[in-house]
């Protein structure tokens, strides 16, 4: 089927199955075009609690669909590709978390939403890149174990010197793949451009940034800023929204690594397939759901 036919079929299926499509900014342009809502991880998780339609088709990686199901268990959540997973979501060790809990009496385990439901179950609160600073500052605990992303953890820790942070060595290969020399070369090729970076980038990359924020924050910054030229230090799916919102501004990739294969695996054909067949429905056991729901709900409360 041609792209237009697939998009028309999806619109028809939305009506027939009372479904809405949620998409992260990193998915393919043509997938963002059929989405009812597009956003960063925080926006999409908040939104998942308010959806009235029977079915949520989640165009994102597995922790996103899983979080939507945990937050709104009565909905049917379909993933267009069940293999789309965020490698970082698995990069923390439950044994180490338990050991540290024994060592530090007041430990708060702060869990980036890019994590499995099992890791969320071992955590006190979830965060995303757009609310982590606010939430960590609100916590009464002095000792913070930040999982799984070391780079986001270090970025937040740098702004909260009054707390003792313990890090975990997880990382996003897409953002961590940027090199400082590569970014410097793009900066010298575009000396008037501001460098906008996601906090999943390594500290030496963040040191070069004019602005650091989540995907939505990067898009908002580019929309209101006057510079007119920007080097983008996050996955390049954001270019779709950036170009739509700022047609007169120029955007340059900060490096060649900025493609998340897991996000790009979602296609229009796969969306049609799951909407027609009901395949790839997200299931979370009641026990896992009720435990993982606590840190997610606490995030939604503390982020206000
Ligand atoms: P945000 O959309 O919260 O900025 O997260 C980026 C990301 O890597 C999602 O997987
Ligand atoms: Fe995971 Fe990185 Fe892809 Fe985000 S960009 S889903 S953190 S691998």
């Amino acid at each position: 089927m041609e792209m237009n036919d697939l998009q028309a079929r999806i619109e028809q299926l939305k009506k027939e199955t009372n479904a809405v499509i949620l998409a992260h900014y990193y998915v393919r342009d043509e997938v963002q075009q059929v989405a009812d809502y597009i956003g960063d991880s925080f926006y999409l998780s908040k939104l998942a609690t308010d959806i009235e339609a029977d079915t949520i088709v989640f165009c994102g990686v597995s922790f996103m669909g899983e979080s939507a199901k945990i937050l709104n268990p009565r909905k049917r959540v379909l993933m267009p590709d069940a293999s789309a997973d965020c490698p970082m979501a698995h990069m923390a060790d439950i044994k180490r978390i338990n050991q540290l809990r024994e060592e530090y009496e007041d430990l708060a385990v702060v869990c980036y939403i890019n994590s499995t439901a099992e890791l969320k179950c071992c955590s006190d609160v979830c965060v995303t890149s757009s609310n982590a600073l606010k939430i960590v500052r609100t916590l009464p605990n002095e000792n913070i174990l930040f999982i799984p992303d070391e780079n986001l953890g270090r970025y937040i820790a740098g702004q909260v010197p009054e707390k003792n942070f313990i890090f975990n060595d997880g990382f996003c290969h897409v953002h961590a793949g940027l090199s400082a020399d590569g970014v410097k070369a793009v900066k010298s090729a575009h000396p008037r451009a501001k460098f906008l970076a996601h906090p999943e980038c390594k500290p030496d990359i963040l040191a070069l940034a004019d602005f650091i924020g989540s995907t939505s924050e990067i898009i908002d910054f580019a929309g209101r800023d006057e510079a007119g030229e920007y080097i983008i230090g996050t996955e390049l799916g954001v270019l779709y929204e950036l170009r739509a919102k700022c047609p007169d501004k120029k955007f340059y990739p900060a490096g060649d690594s900025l493609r998340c294969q897991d996000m790009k695996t979602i296609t229009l054909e796969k969306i049609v397939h799951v909407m027609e067949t009901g395949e790839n429905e997200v299931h979370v056991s009641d026990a896992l759901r009720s435990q993982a729901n606590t840190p997610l709900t606490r995030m939604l409360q503390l982020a206000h």
Side-chain angles (χ1 to χ4, degrees), residues 4-304:
N4 286 350
D5 297 332
L6 287 164
Q7 290 178 327
R9 177 75 184 127
I10 290 168
E11 292 310 322
Q12 190 186 11
L13 283 163
K14 280 187 201 173
K15 290 191 195 109
E16 283 172 21
T17 61
N18 188 21
V20 290
I21 299 186
L22 272 55
H24 189 268
Y25 287 122
Y26 293 165
V27 296
R28 294 165 183 268
D29 294 1
E30 65 273 19
V31 173
Q32 295 191 45
Q33 281 164 10
V34 295
D36 299 289
Y37 305 95
I38 313 171
D40 71 358
S41 315
F42 180 47
Y43 171 77
L44 293 173
S45 60
K46 249 188 327 189
L47 188 77
T49 62
D50 294 334
I51 294 292
E52 286 188 1
D54 299 324
T55 296
I56 297 171
V57 181
F58 212 121
C59 298
V61 289
S62 49
F63 76 82
M64 295 179 169
E66 195 175 60
S67 299
K69 182 71 187 174
I70 291 166
L71 286 164
N72 201 345
R74 281 193 292 276
K75 303 296 162 187
R76 182 171 72 139
V77 179
L78 301 177
M79 301 302 285
D81 188 323
S83 73
D85 195 8
C86 169
M88 181 167 64
H90 304 265
M91 292 183 188
D93 177 18
I94 292 179
K95 254 203 241 152
R96 180 170 180 251
I97 299 171
N98 292 335
Q99 276 164 5
L100 287 163
R101 280 207 190 273
E102 280 180 22
E103 237 175 273
Y104 296 87
E105 219 179 279
D106 82 325
L107 191 74
V109 181
V110 176
C111 184
Y112 191 22
I113 198 166
N114 296 37
S115 52
T116 59
E118 286 77 7
L119 286 176
K120 290 183 176 80
C121 286
C122 305
S123 307
D124 296 291
V125 65
C126 288
V127 296
T128 75
S129 54
S130 66
N131 61 35
L133 181 60
K134 181 173 184 186
I135 290 178
V136 168
R137 279 195 175 133
T138 311
L139 295 175
N141 316 59
E142 189 192 333
N143 292 300
I144 306 287
L145 168 61
F146 197 99
I147 59 166
D149 188 13
E150 177 169 1
N151 294 317
L152 177 62
R154 288 193 185 276
Y155 171 65
I156 300 299
Q159 295 164 83
V160 194
E162 66 277 18
K163 293 193 191 264
N164 174 46
F165 275 73
I166 303 158
F167 301 108
N168 174 81
D169 59 3
F171 62 94
C172 162
H173 65 98
V174 176
H175 292 86
L178 281 179
S179 80
D181 285 346
V183 172
K184 283 178 194 161
V186 183
K187 282 178 102 150
S188 31
H190 305 286
R192 280 190 303 277
K194 285 189 182 169
F195 175 40
L196 317 182
H198 195 281
E200 287 176 13
C201 295
K202 289 187 290 192
D204 59 340
I205 302 296
L206 296 182
L208 300 171
D210 298 290
F211 177 79
I212 299 168
S214 76
T215 49
S216 296
E217 289 169 338
I218 286 176
I219 291 164
D220 291 348
F221 180 88
R224 65 175 184 267
D225 186 69
E226 308 270 282
E229 286 185 53
Y230 306 90
I231 298 165
I232 299 303
T234 191
E235 212 277 354
L236 296 178
V238 297
L239 290 175
Y240 177 74
E241 184 73 16
L242 282 168
R243 288 181 177 139
K245 213 172 161 177
C246 318
D248 301 330
K249 295 184 177 177
K250 289 188 181 147
F251 301 101
Y252 314 106
D256 299 329
S257 70
L258 296 170
R259 185 179 163 87
C260 177
Q261 290 301 345
D262 283 279
M263 289 284 190
K264 302 305 190 222
T265 188
I266 298 156
T267 61
L268 295 176
E269 285 85 353
K270 291 176 186 174
I271 296 173
V272 169
H273 181 75
V274 294
M275 291 180 86
E276 282 179 347
T277 62
E279 274 176 31
N280 297 349
E281 182 176 350
V282 177
H283 294 286
V284 182
S285 72
D286 287 348
L288 196 60
R289 190 202 90 78
S290 71
Q291 259 188 292
N293 187 45
T294 305
L296 276 170
T297 307
R298 196 167 176 211
M299 171 184 82
L300 297 180
Q301 287 160 352
L302 294 180
H304 273 298

